[in-house]
Amino acid sequence: MSWVALALAGAAVLSIVSLIDKTVIYRYARTPHTVPLLSGFAQTSVGVVILVVIGVPEGATWRPVMGALVSGAILGISVQFLMLVLYSNEVSRSIPVFLSYPIFTAIYAFFFLGEGLGAVEWTAVAVVVAGAVLISFRPGRTSIRSILLGRAFVLLMLGSAIHGSAHIFGKVAVDELPVLFTHALRSLGLGGVFLAFNLRSGSVDDVRTFVRTRSPALRFVAVNELVIATVGLLLLLWALALGPAALVTALSGARAFFLVVYSTALALVWKGALGEVTTPGVIAVKLLSTGLIVAGVAAIALGSA
C-alpha cells in the first residue's frame, strides 16, 4: 500500500477518535482531565502488551528508542492542550486549528536546520494561519480580535506548536526501528504523560463513578483507545516509515476535512450532537476554513519536498 493512501486512511480514522473523545467529554465527563486519564491507562497498556508480545528487536540502539519515547511524550503534552479546549468548545472548530501544526515544522526547519522557504511556502503558511483563525469565527457573534485573544485559540496554537516536533522524533525512530515496536514506545511516552498530568482527585472520582455505574463512557474509551486510535496511529506511523515526513505530515492535516464532514453530518442527523452549531453560515465558514488549512498544509509540504 502506498504511503499516500496510508496517511489519508490514518487521518480519516483519527478523526473518528476525536469525535468519540468529544462524545465522552460532552456527555459523561465532569472534568477536562477524565478522558486523558482513561486514555493514559489505555495507551500505557497498549505499549506494555506490544512490548511483551514482540520484545525488543535486535540492533535497537538508544537514539531511535529515545526518539520514539520523546515523540510519544510530545504527542501527549500537545494533546493535553487540545483536551482542555475540547471540554468546552466544538470539536469541528478546535481540531482544525490544532491541525495547523505542519506550519511549525516548516518554521522549525527554517530557523534550526537552515532550510529556506520560498514565497510559495510562506504564502502557504499565511493561508494555514488564516484558515485556523477563520474556523473559530462564528458569523454575527465573534470578531477576529476576540478570536486571537481567546484562551482556546492560544491553547490550541501552543499545542500545535509543540505537536509539530513530534513527527521529527517519530521519523528518526521509525527509520531505524520496526513500526510496531516504535508504536509501542510512543504509546508508553504518550500514556505516561497523560497519567502524570491527569491523575487528579476529580478525574479519579469520575472514573470510579463510571466503573460503579457501568457507564457507556468506559466502552467508548476502550474501543476508541485500544482499537481505533491504535489503528490510526499505526497507519500514520507506517506512512511515515515509507514516505517523506513533510508530505506525510501534510496529508495528516486532511483529518480536519474528515472531522468537519463527520461532525456536521452527525449534528444534522442528531440535533445538538456534540454541542455543534449547524446553521448554514457556520457550516460554510467551517468548510471554507478547513479547505484553507488543508490546502496550505499541502502546499508547505509539496514546496519543501
Side-chain angles (χ1 to χ4, degrees):
M1 186 179 292
S2 73
W3 62 266
V4 173
L6 289 168
L8 289 175
V13 171
L14 288 175
S15 64
I16 299 174
V17 173
S18 299
L19 286 178
I20 296 178
D21 280 342
K22 180 59 178 180
T23 298
V24 177
I25 290 170
Y26 184 63
R27 296 188 177 276
Y28 302 102
R30 293 178 298 176
T31 81
H33 302 286
T34 301
V35 172
L37 177 61
L38 289 170
S39 298
F41 286 125
Q43 288 298 323
T44 302
S45 299
V46 167
V48 170
V49 169
I50 292 176
L51 288 179
V52 169
V53 171
I54 69 173
V56 178
E58 293 185 9
T61 60
W62 69 269
R63 181 174 177 270
V65 167
M66 288 302 300
L69 289 171
V70 170
S71 177
I74 292 173
L75 287 175
I77 293 170
S78 63
V79 173
Q80 186 66 41
F81 286 97
L82 175 61
M83 288 293 190
L84 289 173
V85 175
L86 281 180
Y87 186 71
S88 56
N89 291 270
E90 293 175 72
V91 64
S92 62
R93 291 180 181 277
S94 304
I95 301 294
V97 176
F98 181 79
L99 290 178
S100 61
Y101 60 81
I103 70 173
F104 294 103
T105 301
I107 294 172
Y108 298 153
F110 176 76
F111 285 106
F112 299 108
L113 302 178
E115 297 179 2
L117 296 178
V120 173
E121 288 77 15
W122 282 118
T123 300
V125 170
V127 169
V128 172
V129 173
V133 173
L134 181 61
I135 206 165
S136 299
F137 181 73
R138 184 170 298 172
R141 296 182 58 182
T142 53
S143 66
I144 295 298
R145 176 181 173 83
S146 66
I147 292 169
L148 289 174
L149 296 179
R151 177 176 179 268
F153 183 81
V154 173
L155 286 175
L156 287 170
M157 294 306 289
L158 181 57
S160 182
I162 296 170
H163 193 87
S165 61
H167 296 278
I168 297 174
F169 289 100
K171 181 64 174 174
V172 169
V174 83
D175 277 347
E176 299 186 34
L177 300 173
V179 171
L180 194 57
F181 180 68
T182 303
H183 175 68
L185 294 176
R186 292 215 308 174
S187 294
L188 289 177
L190 175 61
V193 167
F194 274 171
L195 292 176
F197 275 87
N198 299 286
L199 196 59
R200 307 185 182 196
S201 59
S203 55
V204 171
D205 288 342
D206 251 3
V207 173
R208 286 174 177 166
T209 300
F210 291 166
V211 173
R212 186 176 64 253
T213 61
R214 298 182 180 180
S215 171
L218 292 177
R219 294 191 291 274
F220 278 128
V221 173
V223 172
N224 202 34
E225 294 294 331
L226 299 177
V227 180
I228 302 175
T230 297
V231 170
L233 291 171
L234 275 172
L235 286 170
L236 283 180
L237 195 58
W238 189 5
L240 196 62
L242 297 177
L247 292 178
V248 172
T249 302
L251 289 176
S252 72
R255 183 176 168 189
F257 170 78
F258 291 114
L259 186 63
V260 167
V261 172
Y262 295 164
S263 61
T264 302
L266 282 173
L268 289 173
V269 174
W270 292 290
K271 297 297 183 182
L274 306 178
E276 295 287 312
V277 178
T278 56
T279 63
V282 168
I283 292 174
V285 168
K286 287 180 180 179
L287 292 176
L288 173 60
S289 52
T290 298
L292 287 174
I293 292 174
V294 172
V297 166
I300 291 172
L302 291 171
S304 62

